[in-house]
Amino acid sequence: MVRSLGTESAFLFRKPKVLMKINLIPTNKLAMLCAAFCAALFAFNQNAHALTIGDEHELGFVEFGIPSGDQDRTDYVNHLIGMGLGTTDQALGQTFTRSNNNFGPLSTAVWAANGTSTSINLGAVGTYTYLFAKYDGPNYGSEVWYVGDLSGTITIPAEAGGYGLSGWTLFTAGGQGVPDGGTTVMLLGAALSALGMARRYIKS
């Protein structure tokens, strides 16, 4: 004789339902994650800044900037740093003209690197402080810019006064600049930190 199963027994033989838990990220937290990710990408994709002769970054002008060895260029820049705004004087066999641009207290220039291209990678803000560019030997002169507030890749004129670029020199402030090789590590660390903070915020 077959006995019918009671309600309690029948429950035991039911196929268990599989419950799936879906974790959805709230809209506001998703927006925070996207913002952090974009900031991380921005650290590696900085817009180029174009410097021009006599612009708001001009520290001064040296006529003519010859001789033009590393120590000579360092001396020229440091002389400009010590001049009053808008003044002109003669020293070191040159004529110096200081711009009216006020950059606040300025540190002495310390030679860092030379180059010849019109595209220059400054790395992170504050890596380099001054940029000296020589234009065609004795025919034009040397432009000096303050670049301590710039970062990433900048461009400088290929010619000035109708004369071509001979070369440039970057200077740090009192030797405190970060080497270019360390700039990439710094940017990567900043990007990972931003993503890490966003991840902790989403989990909270």
Side-chain angles (χ1 to χ4, degrees):
M1 175 173 135
V2 179
R3 295 171 52 186
S4 62
L5 295 175
T7 303
E8 182 178 352
S9 299
F11 177 80
L12 295 175
F13 286 93
R14 288 178 184 173
K15 185 177 181 180
K17 294 182 179 180
V18 178
L19 299 178
M20 296 182 65
K21 184 179 179 181
I22 302 177
N23 294 321
L24 297 177
I25 301 175
T27 304
N28 62 334
K29 291 187 177 182
L30 181 59
M32 288 288 295
L33 176 61
C34 291
F37 183 71
C38 290
L41 289 179
F42 180 76
F44 295 95
N45 186 30
Q46 302 177 54
N47 294 326
H49 184 100
L51 295 177
T52 57
I53 305 297
D55 65 8
E56 70 277 6
H57 280 88
E58 181 189 51
L59 179 67
F61 187 79
V62 185
E63 186 180 359
F64 293 95
I66 296 175
S68 198
D70 294 342
Q71 187 59 55
D72 297 311
R73 295 185 177 192
T74 302
D75 292 340
Y76 300 154
V77 175
N78 280 322
H79 185 79
L80 278 173
I81 290 171
M83 292 175 61
L85 297 180
T87 61
T88 298
D89 70 9
Q90 293 185 336
L92 305 173
Q94 319 295 319
T95 298
F96 296 84
T97 302
R98 176 71 163 85
S99 74
N100 283 307
N101 298 324
N102 188 353
F103 305 108
L106 296 174
S107 301
T108 57
V110 176
W111 181 92
N114 292 330
T116 57
S117 69
T118 58
S119 180
I120 305 170
N121 184 4
L122 296 179
V125 173
T127 302
Y128 301 106
T129 308
Y130 310 105
L131 171 60
F132 176 104
K134 183 78 182 69
Y135 287 91
D136 200 35
N139 296 308
Y140 184 70
S142 304
E143 181 78 356
V144 181
W145 290 280
Y146 173 81
V147 294
D149 57 348
L150 298 179
S151 63
T153 300
I154 65 168
T155 59
I156 60 175
E159 60 178 47
Y163 298 100
L165 174 68
S166 302
W168 50 259
T169 298
L170 282 169
F171 300 87
T172 59
Q176 299 302 312
V178 181
D180 187 56
T183 301
T184 302
V185 177
M186 289 173 59
L187 290 175
L188 178 60
L192 294 178
S193 296
L195 290 175
M197 291 177 64
R199 183 180 179 186
R200 287 196 296 271
Y201 178 79
I202 290 174
K203 286 184 176 181
S204 62

